[in-house]
Each structure stands twice: as structure tokens, then as C-alpha cells.
Amino acid sequence: MELRVHDLACRRGEVTVIEGLNFRLAPGDCLVLRGPNGSGKTTLLRTLAGLAPPAAGRIELDEDAILYAGHADGIKAQLTVAENLAFWARVYGGADIAPALAAFRLGDLRDRQAQHLSAGQKRRLGLARLKVCPRPVWALDEPTVSLDRETVATFADVVADHCTAGGSAIIATHVDLGIAGTRLLDIAPFRAREDGDAGSPFLDAAFDAEPAR
């Protein structure tokens, strides 16, 4: 399923932070958002996920096709690791949680309450949700926070497998995930002007000329 964005403007509260943004995300694509803190990456992802309305422009994608994972891990402290995953699996269609436990090395922690996990373990559990939520488009906001190098590599493999299987991902991160074919989109040229001037029009130059390695 393809995501198409046309002349999009995004607002944080009452302030427009992005204007004039156009891009396409086709099945198999992995797109990494770049830009300084406060440039609007989180606002863009939340808008794409339907958590905030566009200030202008159009997003072509069924909201049920996108899975958003933000800074919060979205876990229930009183539930165990397995119970958290089973809850998400039921909500999104009843997927087997075993692959998610294995992918993020949570098998030994399956019966531990989430409140007793370390920050890195909580992040792994939050990301394991990706494996039990069968939505084709992933919108991920700084997903590698609190992860060690090994788990970052595991996460990158999960994203790569998702894209190889025909899914797609748009990720705000400053970490080089090493996913072959990744494109970079710098959103700085699309920041709204304080004087009200329109943002920069869509240019292919906003993307890397070559895929990231």
C-alpha cells in the first residue's frame, strides 16, 4: 500500500511547523527523516498516523494501514511481557507472540511484569509490538532510544524484513540503521516561515541522491 503526501502542512498546537511537503512511500521503501530537534519530525509522523489533522494538503492512506510508535513504549506496567504482547495481538488480529518474543530476545522475560524491566527492556517490548501488529506502513519516532548496539541491529533487521515482505517504514532517527536502499528526507527545507511565506516546494534534491548504505 502506497502512502502519498501532497503539499502537506503540519501544525504543533497552533503553530504551523512544516509546509509544502510532498513525498511518496511505496511498498518496500524505508524512508528516514532527518532534521534538527524541533524541526517537526514528530509532528509529521503524528499527522501521518492520523493523531493530528493536517493544517493543509492531503495524505492518501487508509489510517488503518499505518502503525505509529512514538516516544512512549505503550506498555501496561502491571502486565507481564507476554501479557502485553498478547493484548496487542488481540487488538490487531490475534498474531502469535512467539516470533515477537524471539526477535527481541524477550523469551526469558516473558513472565516478568513490565514495571520491573529496565529502560532498554521496556523499549524492546515496545518495539516487539511491531511483530504482532500486521499493518503495512510503520511510522516510528526515535525507535532506538535506550537500545544497545545489538538491539539496534536487531531492530534494523526487523524493519528490513518488513520492507522486503512488501511493507514500508518512515522513521525519525539520527542513527544509521544500515538498511540497504534507505532514502533520507531532510525536512528542514520545508519548515514554515515565521513571516508567513510558503515553505520550499517539493524538490527531489531534498532526498539523498544515492540510497543510504
Side-chain angles (χ1 to χ4, degrees):
M1 182 174 294
E2 185 168 81
L3 166 65
R4 290 177 174 265
V5 171
H6 304 274
D7 199 27
L8 184 66
C10 301
R11 184 179 292 127
R12 183 191 301 124
E14 298 302 317
V15 178
T16 299
V17 294
I18 295 174
E19 291 181 321
L21 179 61
N22 297 266
F23 69 88
R24 295 173 298 275
L25 187 71
D29 283 351
C30 180
L31 179 64
V32 168
L33 302 177
R34 291 287 167 82
N37 293 337
S39 60
K41 300 185 294 297
T42 295
T43 301
L44 171 58
L45 290 175
R46 289 178 54 83
T47 302
L48 295 177
L51 300 176
R58 188 170 79 257
I59 300 169
E60 292 185 11
L61 184 72
D62 186 339
E63 288 184 6
D64 289 337
I66 192 165
L67 174 65
Y68 171 74
H71 294 152
D73 293 314
I75 61 180
K76 301 294 185 182
Q78 300 301 321
L79 297 182
T80 67
V81 167
E83 288 169 342
N84 269 283
L85 286 174
F87 169 78
W88 289 323
R90 287 194 299 271
V91 169
Y92 290 100
D96 183 7
I97 69 170
L101 289 169
F104 286 93
R105 306 188 313 282
L106 293 167
D108 292 342
L109 300 171
R110 62 172 296 133
D111 297 323
R112 183 175 300 181
Q113 286 185 329
Q115 64 182 328
H116 300 308
L117 299 176
S118 69
Q121 289 167 342
K122 289 178 181 178
R123 196 60 170 166
R124 281 157 52 195
L125 175 55
L127 291 174
R129 176 176 36 155
L130 300 173
K131 297 286 288 184
V132 299
C133 301
R135 293 191 172 185
V137 182
W138 292 353
L140 310 177
D141 192 7
E142 298 293 349
T144 62
V145 172
S146 300
L147 297 183
D148 57 30
R149 184 176 301 178
E150 181 180 5
T151 309
V152 170
T154 296
F155 165 74
D157 288 342
V158 168
V159 174
D161 289 346
H162 174 68
C163 294
T164 298
S168 59
I170 177 168
I171 308 171
T173 181
H174 297 286
V175 175
D176 182 3
L177 298 173
I179 300 173
T182 295
R183 293 184 298 154
L184 304 181
L185 172 57
D186 182 0
I187 67 171
F190 305 101
R191 292 188 67 176
R193 302 294 192 264
E194 291 184 1
D195 60 7
D197 290 343
S200 301
F202 173 71
L203 298 171
D204 287 339
F207 291 91
D208 275 7
E210 297 292 336
R213 302 297 182 187

